Amino acid sequence: AQTVTQSQPEMSVQEAETVTLSCTYDTSESNYYLFWYKQPPSRQMILVIRQEAYKQQNATENRFSVNFQKAAKSFSLKISDSQLGDTAMYFCAFIQGGSEKLVFGKGTKLTVNP
Amino acid sequence: DTAVSQTPKYLVTQMGNDKSIKCEQNLGHDTMYWYKQDSKKFLKIMFSYNNKELIINETVPNRFSPKSPDKAHLNLHINSLELGDSAVYFCASRPRASGFVGELFFGEGSRLTVL
């Protein structure tokens, strides 16, 4: 079974600084996708960024980028120029190609301090 | 316009009662899901429906019964509620196209508290 591990339960960063959230996963499959979802205090889950396993290029979305290390099964999220609105739980997630079962890590609570 | 809407957003009830949570999406998506988030924020899939057909039933007690009257709606009915059912239940949907696999649109969640 696929597993997703987020080893940092909580992190904090000063506004405007950069922070990196870690995620590792375990799978024997070659066709899969990885995601970072954000859950602000309002509770609604929002997709931040997505990475296809077959793509070597790391995905970026504005201030959010990933460091995808396929051999190491590592998928970290970098947030640049952190803003107060980035305060949220961040979940790393994995899905096998052809599956509908999105597997989440336990989350990292990020606090951006003014 | 709310894309994925759940009702009620908060529900407090006694053990042993039966309750339902409704979910509707106006995005035209074919696939819908129920996820459960426990008190430690851990999210786990419960059910998935594709165009009214059940495709994932993830070892959930049979006290939980999803129903999809049409592809825009996926309701969750829970019988004989137990303390351990207290959680936030999220409905989600995604477009049918394979390019959107894993890209879920979530509702705001329904917080169920069983006393």
Side-chain angles (χ1 to χ4, degrees), chain B residues 4-96:
Chain B
V4 181
S5 59
Q6 299 178 223
T7 54
K9 290 186 172 41
Y10 297 93
L11 187 54
V12 181
T13 189
Q14 298 289 330
M15 273 175 51
N17 284 350
D18 303 338
K19 291 293 177 187
S20 293
I21 305 172
K22 295 186 176 182
C23 177
E24 176 183 6
Q25 53 94 4
N26 62 5
L27 299 166
H29 294 169
D30 286 294
T31 308
M32 296 185 71
Y33 311 80
W34 278 109
Y35 275 81
K36 178 181 179 180
Q37 186 173 44
D38 63 23
S39 59
K40 296 184 178 179
K41 302 289 188 182
F42 184 55
L43 268 160
K44 189 165 184 229
I45 190 168
M46 300 174 69
F47 301 103
S48 175
Y49 270 74
N50 188 3
N51 200 10
K52 302 192 296 177
E53 183 179 343
L54 179 67
I55 54 175
I56 292 178
N57 183 343
E58 193 66 15
T59 59
V60 176
N62 57 14
R63 297 183 295 104
F64 290 79
S65 51
K67 284 189 171 50
S68 182
D70 55 63
K71 73 175 192 176
H73 295 83
L74 180 60
N75 304 322
L76 183 65
H77 187 77
I78 315 170
N79 289 327
S80 304
L81 279 157
E82 300 178 356
L83 293 177
D85 297 332
S86 295
V88 180
Y89 293 86
F90 284 95
C91 179
S93 70
R94 80 159 182 92
R96 182 190 182 115

Side-chain angles (χ1 to χ4, degrees), chain A residues 48-49 59-66 77-81 83:
Chain A
V48 174
I49 200 164
T60 61
E61 285 287 342
N62 301 314
R63 298 182 296 105
F64 298 87
S65 61
V66 298
L77 175 70
K78 184 171 86 170
I79 306 174
S80 304
D81 185 26
Q83 300 176 0

Side-chain angles (χ1 to χ4, degrees), chain A residues 6-109:
Chain A
Q6 294 179 247
S7 58
Q8 304 149 316
E10 290 194 45
M11 295 188 73
S12 62
V13 64
Q14 292 299 121
E15 198 175 3
E17 292 186 348
T18 295
V19 63
T20 299
L21 280 57
S22 302
C23 173
T24 58
Y25 59 95
D26 187 25
T27 183
S28 57
E29 302 294 331
S30 58
N31 178 24
Y32 57 88
Y33 303 79
L34 295 159
F35 306 84
W36 280 96
Y37 276 84
K38 169 183 176 181
Q39 186 178 35
S42 65
R43 211 166 67 191
Q44 189 165 15
M45 298 278 291
I46 304 163
L47 177 65
V48 174
I49 200 164
R50 158 197 168 118
Q51 175 81 43
E52 293 90 340
Y54 63 84
K55 288 188 178 177
Q56 292 187 337
Q57 187 173 5
N58 289 323
T60 61
E61 285 287 342
N62 301 314
R63 298 182 296 105
F64 298 87
S65 61
V66 298
N67 183 3
F68 175 45
Q69 301 289 327
K70 192 171 183 178
K73 295 182 181 174
S74 169
F75 183 62
S76 59
L77 175 70
K78 184 171 86 170
I79 306 174
S80 304
D81 185 26
S82 297
Q83 300 176 0
L84 296 178
D86 295 333
T87 291
M89 284 288 291
Y90 286 82
F91 293 92
C92 181
F94 168 102
I95 194 166
Q96 181 180 324
S99 170
E100 289 295 344
K101 184 178 171 184
L102 189 61
V103 178
F104 287 90
K106 293 191 174 182
T108 296
K109 183 179 179 182

